């Protein structure tokens, strides 16, 4: 027992230096400390592989960027949002940002680590999203990448594995980076984010859109539209594990009010 406790103490000491905040606070205060055990390089490599695979599959099916007007619209909105990412982290301005549209009825969008964005056409057409509402969705997904939520979730899962590994008195912690390579791919698209991550992404994403000159109140309207679709039967994929619509709308209303001065200032530029 004493040996096990000493091993656990050593592990905890090692992890103490792994708590950091991946972003600056911004106006919304997004500077919560995060446990980031998995290296950023591993997550980026994994995301790059998954992104290429996704785009290649869509191209083969003839569904990648087939509407040039819609594609350009999404890319222009994305550029305006990306230009504001330096508020939260300066290095993001140098990421290899990409934005593509896949022609599917799926009500979803995502942004992988490193700035790899995909928006599904069904999200825009079925919800009749205007530019500001598209900005709300894309800003939210960009926020996940800025805050490295995929890396954080993978780190927490890896921590569980390491804990069991230590208690069983295995020889060492193992190669975390190599083990995470396969896991990381799942976190870029497949696995859902936690509710706290979704709320955090709402806050950061709404600030991005406000700074980019989009009315933050339009973020509220997006989730009102989502709520109506959810009430009619099918829950959109993008809502699968997000906070409840009622609490989310209330929270976004408060955030929009807080960010309105930023929007008004950006609109005058």
């Amino acid at each position: 027992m004493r040996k096990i406790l000493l091993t656990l103490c050593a592990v905890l000491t090692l992890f103490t230096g792994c708590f950091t905040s991946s972003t600056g606070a911004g106006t919304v205060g997004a500077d919560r400390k995060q446990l980031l055990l998995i290296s950023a390089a591993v997550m980026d490599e994994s995301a790059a592989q998954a992104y290429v695979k996704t785009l290649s599959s869509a191209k083969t099916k003839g569904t990648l960027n087939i509407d040039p007007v819609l594609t350009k619209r999404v890319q222009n909105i994305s550029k305006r949002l990306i230009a504001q990412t330096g508020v939260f982290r300066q290095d993001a301005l140098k990421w290899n940002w990409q934005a593509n549209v896949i022609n599917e009825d799926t009500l979803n969008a995502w942004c992988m680590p490193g700035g790899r964005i995909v928006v599904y056409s069904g999200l825009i057409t079925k919800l009749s999203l205007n530019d500001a509402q598209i900005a709300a969705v894309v800003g939210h997904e960009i926020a996940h990448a800025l805050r490295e939520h995929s890396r954080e979730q993978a780190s927490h899962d890896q921590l569980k594995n390491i804990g069991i590994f230590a208690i069983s008195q295995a020889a060492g912690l193992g190669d975390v980076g190599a083990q995470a390579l396969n896991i990381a791919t799942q976190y870029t698209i497949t696995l859902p984010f936690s509710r706290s991550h979704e709320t955090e992404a709402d806050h950061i994403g709404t600030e991005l859109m406000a700074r980019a000159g989009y009315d933050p109140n339009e973020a509220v309207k997006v989730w009102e539209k989502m709520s109506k679709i959810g009430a009619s039967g099918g829950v959109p994929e993008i809502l699968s594990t997000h906070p409840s619509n009622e609490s989310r709308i209330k929270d976004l209303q408060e955030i929009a009010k807080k960010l309105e001065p930023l929007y008004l200032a950006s609109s005058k530029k």
Side-chain angles (χ1 to χ4, degrees):
M1 176 62 80
R2 176 182 167 82
K3 197 170 182 180
I4 293 175
L5 289 175
L6 288 174
T7 303
L8 285 174
C9 286
V11 171
L12 290 174
T13 300
L14 175 64
F15 290 159
T16 301
C18 299
F19 283 95
T20 185
S21 180
S22 59
T23 63
T27 298
V28 294
D31 57 352
R32 171 183 59 85
K33 296 297 183 183
Q34 300 167 276
L35 178 65
L36 299 173
L37 295 176
I38 307 301
S39 76
V42 167
M43 290 302 296
D44 188 68
E45 181 182 351
S46 175
Q49 292 174 3
Y51 196 66
V52 169
K53 183 177 180 180
T54 299
L55 296 189
S56 296
S57 176
K59 188 174 183 179
T60 299
K61 295 176 183 177
T63 59
L64 180 64
N65 298 329
I66 63 172
D67 183 340
V69 175
L70 181 59
T71 300
K72 191 66 176 177
R73 185 180 170 200
V74 169
Q75 290 176 340
N76 286 339
I77 292 168
S78 297
K79 286 179 182 178
R80 286 176 60 174
L81 295 167
I82 292 165
Q84 305 304 317
T85 58
V87 172
F88 293 99
R89 51 187 302 170
Q90 280 292 315
D91 66 311
L93 294 171
K94 298 179 181 180
W95 287 359
N96 181 25
W97 290 94
Q98 300 178 54
N100 291 279
V101 177
I102 294 179
N103 187 51
E104 288 184 13
D105 288 338
T106 306
L107 299 181
N108 205 11
W110 40 262
C111 180
M112 291 184 178
R116 302 166 177 91
I117 303 166
V118 161
V119 176
Y120 294 91
S121 61
L123 183 68
I124 298 172
T125 57
K126 288 189 175 183
L127 296 181
S128 300
L129 299 183
N130 60 31
D131 284 6
Q133 291 164 1
I134 294 174
V137 173
V138 175
H140 173 95
E141 301 305 329
I142 286 175
H144 280 308
L146 293 177
R147 281 295 282 165
E148 299 191 82
H149 286 152
S150 295
R151 184 181 171 200
E152 185 178 11
Q153 289 200 156
S155 295
H156 278 281
D157 280 0
Q158 189 64 41
L159 175 59
K160 296 173 187 176
N161 293 334
I162 289 175
I164 295 171
F165 203 54
I167 292 173
S168 65
Q169 301 181 53
L173 298 177
D175 185 350
V176 177
Q179 292 178 31
L181 186 56
N182 293 327
I183 297 173
T185 304
Q186 300 177 52
Y187 289 102
T188 60
I189 304 176
T190 310
L191 299 179
F193 290 109
S194 69
R195 291 191 175 188
S196 62
H197 284 172
E198 293 296 351
T199 298
E200 207 166 46
D202 276 349
H203 293 184
I204 296 173
T206 306
E207 179 165 345
L208 289 175
M209 68 180 293
R211 289 182 179 276
Y214 295 106
D215 185 350
N217 291 292
E218 292 296 321
V220 178
K221 295 179 182 178
V222 170
W223 301 109
E224 287 176 342
K225 289 182 177 183
M226 290 283 192
S227 180
K228 290 179 181 179
I229 287 186
S232 66
V235 178
E237 184 175 347
I238 200 170
L239 285 179
S240 59
T241 59
H242 287 212
S244 69
N245 290 326
E246 185 177 341
S247 63
R248 181 175 217 151
I249 289 171
K250 183 178 179 181
D251 181 56
L252 280 170
Q253 287 172 336
E254 294 175 359
I255 289 296
K257 185 176 180 180
K258 182 177 183 178
L259 296 172
E260 192 162 351
L262 287 180
Y263 163 60
L264 294 175
S266 64
S267 299
K268 293 177 182 178
K269 293 179 181 178

